[in-house]
Amino acid sequence: MQPAPQTLGRRERNKQEKLDRITAAARELFTQHGVDEVTTQQVAEKADVGAGTLFLYAKNKAELLLLVHNAKYAQALESGIDAAAAEVAVLDAVMAIIRPIIECNRVQIENGRTYLREIVFGDPAEPHHAEALSLTVRTEEAIAEVLGRDQHLLARDPAKLARIISAIMFISMTSSATIGMTDAQVGDGIRDQISVLLGA
């Protein structure tokens, strides 16, 4: 018999409440003004915490952005994985995973591009960066699992193919060439490239 789950103590509740306020404040300010135009002091003031307290939860503005976007990415990924389960064709299932990620990443395009750059070039020792990296690994695993449905693709190493697909997705979403495109156009471009890769 497993022990009953314990409720959070007052200290833990206070920490969680501060984290929630910081996340909500950063999300609102970044969405309204763009990450480049927002200071950590503004986030701290909106969250009603001191700057020193803010830095206990996110070391810098890049980590704040990762904190905010990781939650959105995780939700989009789970939605995509669920949608992929209902698709019969492999390419359709892969795109079912990718499309929600495109949409969540392009709510505020510059923030999304900065987020993806931070994943690639940021400090992996930072906790929110490490979480972002784990989300990209989970994305590649989900794509590899879909590719593994096809015996032909199974022989071509689905994990390696998934890593290439992840690179296609990252480059397409960060490229200056796609800034003026709709989410659907970006998705169609990614689909075309994956189709060539898979020989679909």
Side-chain angles (χ1 to χ4, degrees):
M1 178 181 242
Q2 291 192 350
Q6 295 181 350
T7 57
L8 293 175
R10 180 182 297 169
R11 186 167 182 269
E12 289 75 17
R13 285 199 309 272
N14 287 340
K15 285 175 67 176
Q16 186 59 51
E17 287 168 4
K18 285 177 185 173
L19 176 60
D20 291 345
R21 291 203 314 268
I22 289 167
T23 304
R27 181 185 299 116
E28 183 178 334
L29 290 170
F30 290 162
T31 300
Q32 287 178 352
H33 307 290
V35 67
D36 291 340
E37 302 302 319
V38 175
T39 66
T40 54
Q41 184 61 41
Q42 288 172 316
V43 175
E45 288 172 3
K46 188 161 190 65
D48 194 25
V49 299
T53 299
L54 175 72
F55 292 131
L56 293 175
Y57 294 87
K59 184 177 171 182
N60 51 43
K61 191 163 64 171
E63 278 288 292
L64 269 178
L65 180 65
L66 288 163
L67 169 66
V68 168
H69 271 260
N70 283 347
K72 296 197 302 183
Y73 189 123
Q75 289 176 344
L77 176 57
E78 290 310 312
S79 171
I81 290 171
D82 288 346
E87 296 290 348
V88 175
V90 167
L91 182 55
D92 290 341
V94 170
M95 290 309 302
I97 294 170
I98 291 173
R99 286 193 189 279
I101 295 171
I102 294 170
E103 290 164 8
C104 89
N105 196 66
R106 288 172 54 86
V107 169
Q108 213 283 5
I109 291 174
E110 284 307 317
N111 289 351
R113 294 176 74 215
T114 303
Y115 172 70
L116 295 174
R117 283 195 298 269
E118 281 300 322
I119 292 177
V120 176
F121 300 111
D123 181 358
E126 293 297 328
H128 302 304
H129 185 271
E131 182 185 354
L133 289 175
S134 74
L135 286 169
T136 63
V137 169
R138 177 71 184 103
T139 304
E140 290 175 13
E141 289 172 346
I143 292 171
E145 187 175 321
V146 167
L147 298 177
R149 297 178 190 173
D150 184 314
Q151 287 300 316
H152 171 67
L153 296 175
L154 195 58
R156 293 178 56 197
D157 195 336
K160 288 182 181 175
L161 291 172
R163 178 153 286 204
I164 295 168
I165 290 170
S166 179
I168 290 169
M169 183 176 70
F170 266 65
I171 291 169
S172 296
M173 289 192 294
T174 55
S175 170
S176 298
T178 62
I179 290 176
M181 294 183 179
T182 65
D183 295 352
Q185 288 171 327
V186 173
D188 290 345
I190 291 171
R191 183 188 179 98
D192 288 345
Q193 294 175 73
I194 295 172
S195 178
V196 172
L197 174 68
L198 300 184

Short mmCIF file of all heavy atoms in Angstrom, two decimals, residues 17 23 26 44 55-56 58 61 64 80 94 96 98 102 106 110 119 138 140 142 146 154 158 171 189:
data_model
loop_
_atom_site.label_atom_id
_atom_site.label_comp_id
_atom_site.label_asym_id
_atom_site.label_seq_id
_atom_site.Cartn_x
_atom_site.Cartn_y
_atom_site.Cartn_z
N GLU A 17 3.30 29.60 -5.16
CA GLU A 17 2.52 30.79 -5.47
C GLU A 17 3.39 31.87 -6.12
O GLU A 17 2.97 32.53 -7.07
CB GLU A 17 1.86 31.33 -4.20
CG GLU A 17 0.69 30.48 -3.71
CD GLU A 17 0.23 30.85 -2.31
OE1 GLU A 17 0.77 31.84 -1.74
OE2 GLU A 17 -0.66 30.16 -1.78
N THR A 23 5.58 33.43 -13.37
CA THR A 23 5.29 32.86 -14.69
C THR A 23 4.18 33.63 -15.39
O THR A 23 4.29 33.98 -16.57
CB THR A 23 4.89 31.38 -14.56
OG1 THR A 23 5.93 30.67 -13.88
CG2 THR A 23 4.68 30.74 -15.92
N ALA A 26 5.46 37.17 -16.40
CA ALA A 26 6.37 37.10 -17.55
C ALA A 26 5.61 36.78 -18.82
O ALA A 26 5.84 37.39 -19.87
CB ALA A 26 7.46 36.05 -17.30
N ALA A 44 9.40 41.36 -12.15
CA ALA A 44 9.38 41.28 -10.69
C ALA A 44 8.29 42.19 -10.11
O ALA A 44 7.54 41.79 -9.21
CB ALA A 44 10.75 41.66 -10.13
N PHE A 55 15.22 36.07 -9.20
CA PHE A 55 16.41 35.35 -9.69
C PHE A 55 16.59 34.00 -9.01
O PHE A 55 17.38 33.18 -9.47
CB PHE A 55 17.66 36.22 -9.52
CG PHE A 55 17.67 37.41 -10.43
CD1 PHE A 55 17.95 38.68 -9.94
CD2 PHE A 55 17.37 37.29 -11.78
CE1 PHE A 55 17.95 39.79 -10.78
CE2 PHE A 55 17.36 38.38 -12.63
CZ PHE A 55 17.65 39.64 -12.12
N LEU A 56 15.85 33.75 -7.93
CA LEU A 56 15.86 32.41 -7.33
C LEU A 56 15.10 31.42 -8.22
O LEU A 56 15.36 30.22 -8.18
CB LEU A 56 15.21 32.44 -5.95
CG LEU A 56 15.95 33.21 -4.85
CD1 LEU A 56 15.11 33.24 -3.58
CD2 LEU A 56 17.32 32.60 -4.58
N ALA A 58 14.43 32.15 -11.76
CA ALA A 58 14.97 32.23 -13.12
C ALA A 58 16.17 33.17 -13.07
O ALA A 58 16.04 34.33 -12.69
CB ALA A 58 13.92 32.75 -14.10
N LYS A 61 16.69 36.74 -17.98
CA LYS A 61 15.49 36.88 -18.82
C LYS A 61 15.33 35.68 -19.76
O LYS A 61 14.20 35.25 -20.03
CB LYS A 61 15.56 38.18 -19.62
CG LYS A 61 14.26 38.52 -20.30
CD LYS A 61 14.17 39.98 -20.73
CE LYS A 61 15.20 40.34 -21.77
NZ LYS A 61 14.96 41.70 -22.32
N LEU A 64 13.65 33.06 -17.90
CA LEU A 64 12.24 33.41 -17.73
C LEU A 64 11.44 33.03 -18.98
O LEU A 64 10.33 32.48 -18.88
CB LEU A 64 12.09 34.91 -17.50
CG LEU A 64 12.09 35.42 -16.07
CD1 LEU A 64 11.98 36.94 -16.07
CD2 LEU A 64 10.97 34.80 -15.26
N GLY A 80 -0.39 17.19 -29.64
CA GLY A 80 0.05 16.61 -30.90
C GLY A 80 0.18 15.10 -30.84
O GLY A 80 -0.21 14.39 -31.79
N VAL A 94 3.01 12.42 -38.17
CA VAL A 94 4.15 13.29 -37.82
C VAL A 94 3.71 14.74 -37.79
O VAL A 94 4.03 15.49 -36.86
CB VAL A 94 5.32 13.09 -38.81
CG1 VAL A 94 6.39 14.16 -38.60
CG2 VAL A 94 5.93 11.70 -38.65
N ALA A 96 0.74 15.83 -37.29
CA ALA A 96 -0.18 16.02 -36.16
C ALA A 96 0.60 16.39 -34.91
O ALA A 96 0.12 17.18 -34.08
CB ALA A 96 -1.02 14.76 -35.94
N ILE A 98 3.64 17.93 -34.99
CA ILE A 98 4.36 19.18 -35.23
C ILE A 98 3.45 20.41 -35.26
O ILE A 98 3.83 21.47 -34.76
CB ILE A 98 5.16 19.05 -36.55
CG1 ILE A 98 6.30 18.05 -36.36
CG2 ILE A 98 5.69 20.41 -37.02
CD1 ILE A 98 7.06 17.73 -37.64
N ILE A 102 4.12 24.29 -33.82
CA ILE A 102 4.24 25.49 -34.67
C ILE A 102 3.30 26.58 -34.16
O ILE A 102 3.71 27.74 -33.98
CB ILE A 102 3.88 25.16 -36.14
CG1 ILE A 102 4.88 24.19 -36.75
CG2 ILE A 102 3.80 26.43 -36.98
CD1 ILE A 102 4.46 23.63 -38.11
N ARG A 106 4.36 30.31 -32.44
CA ARG A 106 4.20 31.51 -33.27
C ARG A 106 3.10 32.45 -32.76
O ARG A 106 2.68 33.35 -33.46
CB ARG A 106 3.93 31.08 -34.71
CG ARG A 106 5.17 30.51 -35.39
CD ARG A 106 4.84 29.91 -36.75
NE ARG A 106 4.16 30.83 -37.62
CZ ARG A 106 4.76 31.72 -38.43
NH1 ARG A 106 6.09 31.79 -38.46
NH2 ARG A 106 4.05 32.52 -39.21
N GLU A 110 8.49 36.61 -32.55
CA GLU A 110 9.85 36.92 -32.09
C GLU A 110 10.18 36.19 -30.79
O GLU A 110 11.30 35.71 -30.60
CB GLU A 110 10.06 38.43 -31.95
CG GLU A 110 10.26 39.13 -33.28
CD GLU A 110 11.37 38.51 -34.13
OE1 GLU A 110 12.44 38.17 -33.59
OE2 GLU A 110 11.16 38.35 -35.34
N ILE A 119 17.07 27.37 -26.75
CA ILE A 119 17.18 25.91 -26.62
C ILE A 119 18.48 25.42 -27.25
O ILE A 119 19.20 24.60 -26.68
CB ILE A 119 15.98 25.20 -27.28
CG1 ILE A 119 14.70 25.49 -26.51
CG2 ILE A 119 16.22 23.68 -27.34
CD1 ILE A 119 13.45 24.90 -27.13
N ARG A 138 11.74 14.53 -26.06
CA ARG A 138 10.42 13.88 -26.04
C ARG A 138 9.74 14.02 -27.40
O ARG A 138 9.07 13.09 -27.87
CB ARG A 138 9.56 14.50 -24.94
CG ARG A 138 8.15 13.95 -24.86
CD ARG A 138 8.13 12.53 -24.33
NE ARG A 138 6.78 12.00 -24.36
CZ ARG A 138 6.32 11.14 -25.26
NH1 ARG A 138 7.11 10.70 -26.22
NH2 ARG A 138 5.08 10.70 -25.20
N GLU A 140 11.26 14.27 -30.34
CA GLU A 140 11.93 13.35 -31.26
C GLU A 140 11.52 11.91 -30.99
O GLU A 140 11.33 11.12 -31.92
CB GLU A 140 13.44 13.51 -31.15
CG GLU A 140 13.94 14.84 -31.71
CD GLU A 140 15.42 15.06 -31.50
OE1 GLU A 140 16.14 14.10 -31.14
OE2 GLU A 140 15.87 16.21 -31.69
N ALA A 142 8.63 10.92 -29.79
CA ALA A 142 7.25 10.75 -30.28
C ALA A 142 7.24 10.59 -31.80
O ALA A 142 6.50 9.76 -32.34
CB ALA A 142 6.40 11.95 -29.86
N VAL A 146 6.22 7.20 -34.19
CA VAL A 146 5.32 7.21 -35.34
C VAL A 146 6.02 6.61 -36.56
O VAL A 146 5.45 5.79 -37.29
CB VAL A 146 4.84 8.65 -35.64
CG1 VAL A 146 4.19 8.73 -37.01
CG2 VAL A 146 3.88 9.12 -34.56
N LEU A 154 11.44 1.86 -40.42
CA LEU A 154 12.06 1.18 -39.28
C LEU A 154 13.47 0.73 -39.63
O LEU A 154 14.40 0.80 -38.82
CB LEU A 154 11.19 -0.01 -38.87
CG LEU A 154 11.45 -0.65 -37.50
CD1 LEU A 154 11.29 0.37 -36.39
CD2 LEU A 154 10.51 -1.82 -37.30
N PRO A 158 14.52 5.13 -37.23
CA PRO A 158 13.57 6.20 -36.93
C PRO A 158 14.13 7.29 -36.03
O PRO A 158 13.76 8.46 -36.17
CB PRO A 158 12.41 5.46 -36.24
CG PRO A 158 12.48 4.07 -36.77
CD PRO A 158 13.94 3.80 -36.96
N ILE A 171 14.62 24.90 -37.78
CA ILE A 171 15.11 25.87 -38.77
C ILE A 171 13.95 26.60 -39.42
O ILE A 171 13.98 27.82 -39.60
CB ILE A 171 15.99 25.17 -39.82
CG1 ILE A 171 17.30 24.71 -39.17
CG2 ILE A 171 16.28 26.11 -41.00
CD1 ILE A 171 18.13 23.78 -40.03
N GLY A 189 5.35 23.90 -45.52
CA GLY A 189 6.76 23.85 -45.92
C GLY A 189 7.51 22.75 -45.21
O GLY A 189 8.32 22.04 -45.81
#
